[in-house]
Amino acid sequence: MAAAGVNAAGGGDLPRIGLRLPQYGGGWSEIVAAARAGAERGVHSLWVNDHLMSPGRTPAEPAFDALTTLAALAPLVEGPRLGVAVLSATHRPAALAAKAATLIDVISSGRMVVGLGAGSHRAEHAAYGIRFPPGRERTAGALDALRVMRAMFGSPGGADLPGYLAGAPNLPGPVQAGGPPIWLAAHGPRLLAHAGREADGIVAAFAGPGEIARRLAIARSARPDGLPPLECALYTYALASASEAEAHRWLEPEAAHLGTTPAALVRWLRTTGIVGRPGELRAALAAHAAAGVTEAILVLPSRVPPEAQEALLDAVAAPRGARAGGDTAASTPPAPLMPQGPGPRPAPASADERPHARHNLTHLLVGRWIDEGSGSRAAAVPHAGWWTSPDLAGAAAPAAGALPRAGVRRGERVAVVLRDGRPWLAAFLGAARLGAVPVPLDPGGDPARLADVLDDCGPTAMVAEAEAARAVRTPEGCALLAPGDLPGGPPMAVAPVHPGDLAYLVYSSGSTGRPKGAMHSHADMRTGIETYAAQVLGLGPGDRCHSAARLFTSLGFGNGFFRVLGRGATAVFDPVAPTPRSVLGTLARHRVSVLTAVPTMWAQLARFLARHPQPEAFAGLRIGVSSGDTLPAPVARRLRNDLGVDLVEGLGCSECSNIVISTRPGEHMPGRLGRAVPGVEIRVADERGVAVGEGEPGRLWIRSDSNTSGYWRRPAATREVVFGPWLRMGDVLMERGGVYRHMGRSDDLFKVDARWVSPTAVEAVILDHEGVEEVGVVALPDEGGLARAAAFVVPTSGWLDERAQRSIRRRVSHALGHHCAPQRVVAVARLPRLPSGKLDRRRLRAAESHGFTATPCAGFRPRRPGAPGRPPGCSRPPS
């Protein structure tokens, strides 16, 4: 007899329960044992993935493919339905997939369910020589597969579908009338609408109740009258345990296999699934059921012992309102595994890991200076006046109290959409003080981009000024707070946390696609403070530090905020958007000793001072820091030689919340990044992590104590970057004698005549030209479709004649080789930039559709003799 709750219908407290079988990293006997145990406990369905290799961080391990596994299980396990979540339309011809699914339906006596998707694992396709089409083509392929399956299921005697099937028999026919149900994996409007019209249900992976409700609304609105109600399956990680110590014990084998810790693995699992005590698991599943989920496919991490599955089934089988394993009833707020609210936690094995306020990042940045009696010095200068460490604590305490009034609990996200200054400090430190997860975001950026990031991180509250709040749609279930709401909360003490608890998210600039939220723990800040800030910059009391990069960027967040406060220096803020004039004013007004900026701003400062000399501009500056992109050697020389700036260059990333490669004060290495920062291990290697030879280009691999545990709710993106203790970045470097040179991003480099071209190297040469103010280089196809370098130039005089174009090409050809010389030299009024200030090469490559002319300058006609206008042979930059 089925245990209470396991087979509950979607309209009850819980959805029907399915179990994903342990098909990776183990053996056949483990799969059979797990399936039989699930069947004995009355689970509604058993599921497998459609992967030929493990989709996780360790692909070279045992992996049981979907259709073979289900066919073998069907006669061995009776009762539960058998499903695949989801069948990749790219892996096999649709007719072959339909035939296999039909036979499994026959072998299992009508228990087959087909989850169908477009395919997403790029590395798997490459490994097995399977073509990985563009996204639009994969979507079309999934819809074609759905129609082929429908035709073959419905006409087993001979199916016809123009262009696909011509009297194709499918015998023996399926046991289920009309064939196995087909549930389409869909999240975009187009696929959701098709699912509503043509499928039996949808599959949603790692989605919250609000997102589930949004998808179902789109699919249901397209559903024709007369069709059965649409099913909805949630695919999610799940782990239920009586204590954190028990969960850590279960996860030790998988954590060791991945080269991480059980605590870090738990933190990552919570972003993609439900991890907690039984009551928390039931409450979360009930919320999904209320949003429309009819079946929950629960996925245990690999290599957990059988008792973890038993505990999971105990959790979902517990009677409503009853106690299970000492846990409170589901109607009572449960004590979560990773704390989100007050309440005692089981004592951990190590006293060093016991929850304590000193592990909270606010103690590292603020509280310890008060404890040491040195909190009276200026910690922050937010444009007007200044705050000491006690002032910062005094602003954070009521802010922490205001957030629970808005529904924020510990562990939940708080979007900080504010300009740099006092409210930003109060909001960020207040959220961290509560034990919530602050997320700094751009208050003045593109509203569509901000809305996308908000949807991704799913904040419980957003702190924003009225203008920013009006510009963007507040996510469903997200409370909106104004800066003026923060001082009115009841003061709250610093929340005790574990060092490995999730503390903050830093979103990437989006230079490689959709922005991703890198997850960081409370302990991660200490690495950047004790390595780069202390041993490279030498920050300490007496330094006044200003970052022209804003606090929502990784560079500004580090060098403008936490590394400064963490070293007892003074952080100088300015709420206005940085310009050369405003930055120089801040330097003079606050006697700034350390200035951080992206290369774009440093270049603007150099040009501004060349036109408006101010000999005293950098008089009080001890160090200038350039990071976030490659600083061209000509700009560095001007700053050092003409303006006397001791410039330190480096490379960092939001994924490790630190600068990892840097020159040192007094070191002049034009065009080079410098050496590895103490405490950070760097490797230049191929895609697999095998080191390349000295002087050869390779991917940047980073090993640091501050490495992210992954991207928020982005498991596929995490698998591309996180490899145990190492991060595999998209940057391409070359190393000689321990000194690194940046070649660009892996997707920015291109080949001409079988030789690599580095856009950053070409840009550095072009910037040495007297007629060039800024330049961006990308690959564009020539008339024959071959990739060639194209240079988009902002001229110093506003004009670019044919002689200058030829001069630029000759200069690059002489310095780097003819293959690097730009075939096109195009004059533009400005270059597209990301919010961080980095060059947006993706927009530059799509120049025609973004208002940048892609016509070669040489194609412009000179003016007619005697006609007014520009000089002969010159192209005017587009406005």
Side-chain angles (χ1 to χ4, degrees), residues 462-788:
M462 178 172 72
V463 187
E465 294 171 341
E467 183 178 353
R470 285 193 299 267
V472 67
R473 173 184 57 83
T474 304
E476 183 179 351
C478 175
L480 180 62
L481 286 83
D485 297 329
L486 301 179
M492 290 193 68
V494 178
V497 297
H498 281 245
D501 283 353
L502 183 62
Y504 58 98
L505 300 182
V506 178
Y507 271 82
S508 63
S509 62
S511 59
T512 58
R514 182 185 174 195
K516 302 178 288 291
M519 300 185 293
H520 287 285
S521 70
H522 285 267
D524 287 357
M525 282 186 174
R526 186 177 297 277
T527 299
I529 291 167
E530 295 180 350
T531 60
Y532 177 71
Q535 299 183 55
V536 175
L537 300 184
L539 294 187
D543 273 317
R544 291 196 166 210
C545 307
H546 175 64
S547 173
R550 304 290 81 181
L551 294 180
F552 68 85
T553 68
S554 179
L555 179 60
F557 180 67
N559 272 18
F561 170 58
F562 81 80
R563 288 193 279 269
V564 181
L565 295 187
R567 289 293 300 162
T570 302
V572 177
F573 300 107
D574 190 341
V576 304
T579 64
R581 196 179 298 277
S582 71
V583 170
L584 292 171
T586 299
L587 291 183
R589 187 165 54 251
H590 297 291
R591 305 187 306 280
V592 170
S593 60
V594 180
L595 173 64
T596 297
V598 295
T600 303
M601 176 54 66
W602 281 114
Q604 291 173 359
L605 286 168
R607 289 195 300 269
F608 182 86
L609 291 171
R611 298 165 185 167
H612 310 281
Q614 298 178 29
E616 73 290 351
F618 295 125
L621 195 66
R622 182 171 68 84
I623 300 175
V625 179
S626 177
S627 186
D629 212 338
T630 301
L631 180 68
V635 176
R637 284 195 298 269
R638 291 174 208 159
L639 290 165
R640 289 189 176 104
N641 299 338
D642 300 341
L643 301 172
V645 178
D646 188 0
L647 198 63
V648 172
E649 301 177 52
L651 181 144
C653 58
S654 55
E655 288 81 359
C656 57
S657 205
N658 197 14
I659 305 292
V660 295
I661 301 174
S662 178
T663 59
R664 275 40 171 189
E667 273 185 345
H668 295 177
M669 297 182 177
R672 293 169 176 80
L673 295 172
R675 294 169 281 118
V677 167
V680 177
E681 189 174 350
I682 297 296
R683 179 188 297 168
V684 180
D686 63 15
E687 298 287 321
R688 299 170 299 159
V690 178
V692 300
E694 186 174 72
E696 296 180 11
R699 291 278 287 269
L700 168 63
W701 290 67
I702 305 169
R703 180 171 183 163
S704 169
D705 289 340
S706 62
N707 278 2
T708 180
S709 54
Y711 295 118
W712 177 256
R713 289 178 176 165
R714 303 285 288 279
T718 296
R719 288 195 296 267
E720 292 295 313
V721 172
V722 180
F723 292 80
W726 290 90
L727 298 181
R728 183 184 67 182
M729 307 306 299
D731 300 274
V732 176
L733 273 60
M734 283 175 47
E735 178 266 336
R736 288 187 186 277
V739 176
Y740 296 89
R741 180 191 295 271
H742 194 253
M743 307 300 293
R745 300 284 301 182
S746 59
D747 49 358
D748 291 334
L749 272 68
F750 55 95
K751 279 188 174 182
V752 173
D753 299 334
R755 288 178 288 179
W756 284 109
V757 177
S758 165
T760 58
V762 178
E763 289 162 0
V765 173
I766 295 176
L767 274 173
D768 245 347
H769 193 283
E770 62 279 359
V772 175
E773 187 167 295
E774 291 185 84
V775 62
V777 173
V778 295
L780 290 178
D782 62 11
E783 293 179 356
L786 299 176
R788 292 289 186 267

Side-chain angles (χ1 to χ4, degrees), residues 154-182:
S155 302
D160 291 297
L161 188 66
Y164 297 94
L165 303 171
N170 188 29
L171 297 171
V175 174
Q176 299 179 73
I182 303 174

Side-chain angles (χ1 to χ4, degrees), residues 358-384:
R358 69 172 179 270
H359 298 317
N360 192 301
L361 67 84
T362 61
H363 183 267
L364 176 69
L365 305 184
V366 178
R368 68 181 178 127
W369 303 116
I370 300 174
D371 293 347
E372 293 178 8
S374 56
S376 59
R377 60 175 176 258
V381 182
H383 191 57

Side-chain angles (χ1 to χ4, degrees), residues 399-414:
L403 292 171
R405 290 180 172 180
V408 179
R409 300 183 303 164
R410 294 168 64 177
E412 296 179 338
R413 278 79 57 215
V414 177

